[in-house]
Amino acid sequence: MLRASVIIPTRDRAKMLAICLESLVQQTLSRDDFEVLVIDNGSTDSTADVAKGFADRLNLVYVYEPEPGLHSGRHAGVRNARSDILLFGEDDLDVTPGWVAGAIAALRDEKVALAGGNLLPKFEGEVPGWLQLWWSRPVYKGRAFGYYGILDFGVGRFEVDPAYVWGGNFAVRRSALEAVGGFHPDGMPQELITRRGDGESYTARAIHKRVGRVMFDSEITVRHTVAASRMYGKYLEKRAYNQGISDSYTNTRRWGRPSSALVTWAYSWARAQRLRLRYFQQSLRDRGHPHRAELLKIQFATAKTWAEGYRFHQRAARSDQQLLTWILKEKYL
């Protein structure tokens, strides 16, 4: 009996996908208990060959979805999945052997509509001192660093703020996902960056508000690759810029239109952050704390690029009626 559908959207990361699929082979459940849907979101590398190479080791379905955007890949997975329990992951995950079984167990209670768990870092190469400091800082019930998609809330099972159930480890009832209209846009290619939205963040909040309880369960644990090429300030600046776009999208939907007042607020907030961080950065340099000073320098830069992304998207939404219609679309599923 099919108990869960694992949905892995991917694009041009065949080597990482192979590692992810190998970890799914090692699940404690029988291959007949769950299916794996690899959603090829327009790859030009060997993704199809890699996926099909696991056909005799997994209950695997390969789907080609040319429509750009991570949400398109996720929704293609929903359309093709045969189970009522949907478990979304990413192609750069290395999942623990009890991952699928843990998701099924977490959703056994009919009052629970959505569940997530730890996304432990799998760092490639030496971790810079500033990154060690940022990752070590307490957040909510443990540690969390959204720009890298890593989260560690320890061991246990408890209700959790939906803001901490992320797309790399997202177990949901099909009925709950459909009730809120699926996912918002995310993972758009650069030429369509203005169409970026707030992805699973909306979905998790909406499920919590309208459908049912949201749980954290440490049995639903994955290891998320943090590539050496991403452990630099410039990568975080780009991520912050994109987050500014996402936050502009969220606020535009909330207000029903772009708002110059929101742009002013965004810049005021970012300026205050930069002034505060600049003061402490110099203070730390003077006291001989180079890693802390470097961390503040990066936080200073990300505050700036976040505001730039926010302003860019607000301006685009004001000048492009088609874009505004896209942003205000009722649902994308």
Side-chain angles (χ1 to χ4, degrees):
M1 175 182 174
L2 193 64
R3 302 169 65 190
S5 296
V6 175
I7 298 171
I8 308 291
T10 185
R11 185 171 186 264
D12 285 337
R13 297 207 290 190
K15 290 183 179 179
M16 287 186 172
L17 177 64
I19 295 171
C20 177
L21 295 179
E22 185 63 44
S23 67
L24 284 165
V25 171
Q26 307 304 320
Q27 292 300 291
T28 55
L29 293 178
S30 162
R31 59 177 284 179
D32 295 327
D33 285 330
F34 68 101
E35 64 178 349
V36 177
L37 295 98
V38 174
I39 313 300
D40 186 343
N41 209 182
S43 297
T44 57
D45 64 359
S46 60
T47 290
D49 292 335
V50 167
K52 292 171 184 178
F54 281 84
D56 60 344
R57 303 172 67 197
L58 289 168
N59 184 5
L60 188 137
V61 179
Y62 171 82
V63 177
Y64 186 80
E65 173 51 65
E67 185 69 24
L70 178 56
H71 65 292
S72 298
R74 288 169 170 168
H75 291 160
V78 175
R79 290 192 299 271
N80 286 276
R82 294 178 290 155
S83 173
D84 290 330
I85 291 181
L86 309 176
L87 183 51
F88 292 88
E90 295 179 0
D91 55 11
D92 57 354
L93 299 181
D94 179 357
V95 308
T96 54
W99 186 53
V100 179
I104 294 170
L107 293 173
R108 190 170 291 140
D109 182 347
E110 292 186 359
K111 294 180 181 178
V112 177
L114 172 66
N118 291 319
L119 293 105
L120 304 178
K122 185 180 176 183
F123 293 114
E124 290 187 341
E126 184 177 354
V127 182
W130 62 265
L131 177 51
Q132 294 177 11
L133 283 172
W134 203 341
W135 171 233
S136 68
R137 291 183 174 180
V139 174
Y140 192 54
K141 295 182 181 292
R143 298 182 292 175
F145 198 165
Y147 285 168
Y148 286 125
I150 53 178
L151 179 151
D152 184 358
F153 286 170
V155 177
R157 186 170 189 267
F158 45 83
E159 289 200 50
V160 70
D161 186 320
Y164 293 103
V165 179
W166 296 342
N169 198 3
F170 196 97
V172 64
R173 295 184 185 280
R174 179 193 292 270
S175 58
L177 186 65
E178 292 174 345
V180 300
F183 295 98
H184 279 180
D186 198 2
M188 302 299 289
Q190 192 59 39
E191 64 272 17
L192 296 173
I193 197 64
T194 56
R195 295 200 165 206
R196 178 184 175 91
D198 50 15
E200 77 276 0
S201 299
Y202 153 80
T203 308
R205 291 194 307 268
I207 287 174
H208 181 246
K209 182 178 180 180
R210 306 178 203 172
V211 185
R213 297 164 66 195
V214 179
M215 301 296 294
F216 170 91
D217 193 327
S218 57
E219 293 298 316
I220 317 172
T221 289
V222 302
R223 291 177 290 270
H224 194 188
T225 301
V226 180
S229 60
R230 295 185 175 186
M231 289 189 278
Y232 292 93
K234 288 297 182 183
Y235 170 78
L236 290 178
E237 288 177 37
K238 180 180 178 181
R239 284 288 288 109
Y241 185 91
N242 289 344
Q243 187 59 47
I245 293 173
S246 293
D247 292 340
S248 169
Y249 170 96
T250 300
N251 285 334
T252 301
R253 285 183 67 90
R254 181 178 294 132
W255 289 90
R257 65 186 188 282
S259 169
S260 57
L262 289 174
V263 173
T264 301
W265 167 82
Y267 263 79
S268 297
W269 176 86
R271 184 173 184 274
Q273 285 288 92
R274 294 199 302 275
L275 290 173
R276 181 178 69 85
L277 295 174
R278 180 176 289 171
Y279 169 78
F280 284 112
Q281 181 188 9
Q282 186 59 52
S283 176
L284 287 169
R285 278 204 192 100
D286 293 342
R287 287 183 289 166
H289 297 287
H291 294 319
R292 293 185 185 278
E294 181 66 16
L295 174 57
L296 287 177
K297 176 183 176 182
I298 291 170
Q299 290 175 327
F300 171 91
T302 56
K304 180 175 182 291
T305 56
W306 175 88
E308 290 171 351
Y310 193 103
R311 180 175 64 175
F312 162 77
H313 188 259
Q314 287 285 299
R315 286 179 168 175
R318 281 199 300 271
S319 63
D320 186 340
Q321 183 58 47
Q322 286 187 335
L323 173 59
L324 184 58
T325 299
W326 167 263
I327 294 169
L328 299 179
K329 193 173 180 178
E330 182 180 358
K331 63 180 182 178
Y332 301 84
L333 179 61

